[in-house]
Amino acid sequence: MNRTEIEKSKIKFFPMVTVIAVVALLFATALPARSASPATEVETLLKQKIDAILSMLDSTNLQETEKKTRIMEIINPVIDFPLMAKLTLGKQNWGRLSPEERDTFIDLFVGRLKRSYLDKTTLYSGQKVGYGQAAVQGGKVSAPTYLYTEEKKIEVVYKFYPVNGGWKVYDVEIDGVSFIKSYRAQFDEILRNGTVDDLFAELRKPVD
């Protein structure tokens, strides 16, 4: 199996292993600028929100539809979906798209991500999450967490960048594989062998 095939298989697995961690991020609120270090701010934010979401997912008082509604109410201001969409295409492919095509791509990409994450929230069954030490590099912060399943420990690293006195996620790494880079490999292949319309058609397919 070559690198592209490995990355493609990884990305299909992303929604499954990031159910707890990524969904927790969706409920995070922007953290005001403080005297604490960026790493400490992000660590505190991440742990508070993940712990809160784990409690919510364990709740028997909320129906699945209500949980999904609460996620959707907060998801847009927390994760920079337009930036993630742009990064998944890369500078060259992004430049190929017209303004209208860019808007369509963002809508399709974001819609697919949201459907995927929301559909997988039902997979949560009491898995545990651990926390590593966040690291600052170039003004951005990488915050590792660990998802413990029955089979293994999965490392999930969140990549934050500062915006408006708070923090937003622009990428996630699963066991060393970048969410952005994995999607980019798939999109590169589609656009190398086909057209923008082919890419749109792929994004419109039902989520596995």
Side-chain angles (χ1 to χ4, degrees):
M1 181 179 290
N2 60 36
R3 174 83 178 165
T4 298
E5 291 173 331
I6 293 173
E7 289 177 333
K8 289 172 72 175
S9 64
K10 283 279 189 177
I11 199 65
K12 290 180 180 178
F13 189 55
F14 277 4
M16 302 288 288
V17 301
T18 59
V19 167
I20 304 168
V22 172
V23 169
L25 246 295
L26 305 185
F27 277 85
T29 55
L31 185 69
R34 302 180 182 182
S35 58
S37 70
T40 300
E41 288 183 355
V42 168
E43 287 174 353
T44 300
L45 171 64
L46 190 59
K47 188 175 189 305
Q48 287 176 344
K49 299 308 176 179
I50 289 181
D51 287 351
I53 297 310
L54 292 178
S55 296
M56 185 275 293
L57 291 174
D58 283 327
S59 174
T60 58
N61 298 322
L62 294 176
Q63 299 296 322
E64 293 301 325
T65 54
E66 185 176 357
K67 292 178 183 180
K68 291 179 180 181
T69 297
R70 292 189 179 189
I71 292 173
M72 293 302 296
E73 288 174 349
I74 199 68
I75 190 172
N76 286 327
V78 178
I79 297 181
D80 196 334
F81 282 113
L83 176 59
M84 292 179 72
K86 184 176 181 178
L87 292 174
T88 60
L89 277 186
K91 184 176 181 179
Q92 183 175 358
N93 285 329
W94 184 256
R96 292 177 54 184
L97 273 60
S98 69
E100 293 77 14
E101 288 172 333
R102 291 175 182 177
D103 290 341
T104 299
F105 173 74
I106 290 174
D107 288 343
L108 291 174
F109 179 76
V110 172
R112 187 177 180 83
L113 283 185
K114 290 179 180 180
R115 291 194 305 274
S116 179
Y117 293 139
L118 293 177
D119 287 348
K120 300 303 187 297
T121 57
T122 56
L123 296 178
Y124 173 69
S125 58
Q127 293 91 341
K128 303 300 181 182
V129 175
Y131 303 92
Q133 184 173 2
V136 180
Q137 185 174 12
K140 299 176 182 178
V141 178
S142 295
T145 64
Y146 303 95
L147 178 61
Y148 295 91
T149 70
E150 294 182 359
E151 296 81 17
K152 61 183 293 189
K153 178 177 74 172
I154 301 168
E155 183 181 50
V156 182
V157 179
Y158 297 96
K159 296 187 175 182
F160 293 81
Y161 80 101
V163 57
N164 299 327
W167 300 94
K168 283 191 176 183
V169 173
Y170 69 93
D171 193 11
V172 180
E173 285 188 1
I174 311 297
D175 281 344
V177 179
S178 165
F179 180 89
I180 296 299
K181 291 181 179 178
S182 294
Y183 265 119
R184 186 181 297 168
Q186 294 182 66
F187 297 162
D188 280 347
E189 183 175 354
I190 293 171
L191 292 174
R192 186 169 53 251
N193 299 314
T195 66
V196 173
D197 286 338
D198 293 328
L199 175 59
F200 291 168
E202 186 67 27
L203 289 172
R204 289 189 176 101
K205 290 181 178 179
V207 176
D208 293 334

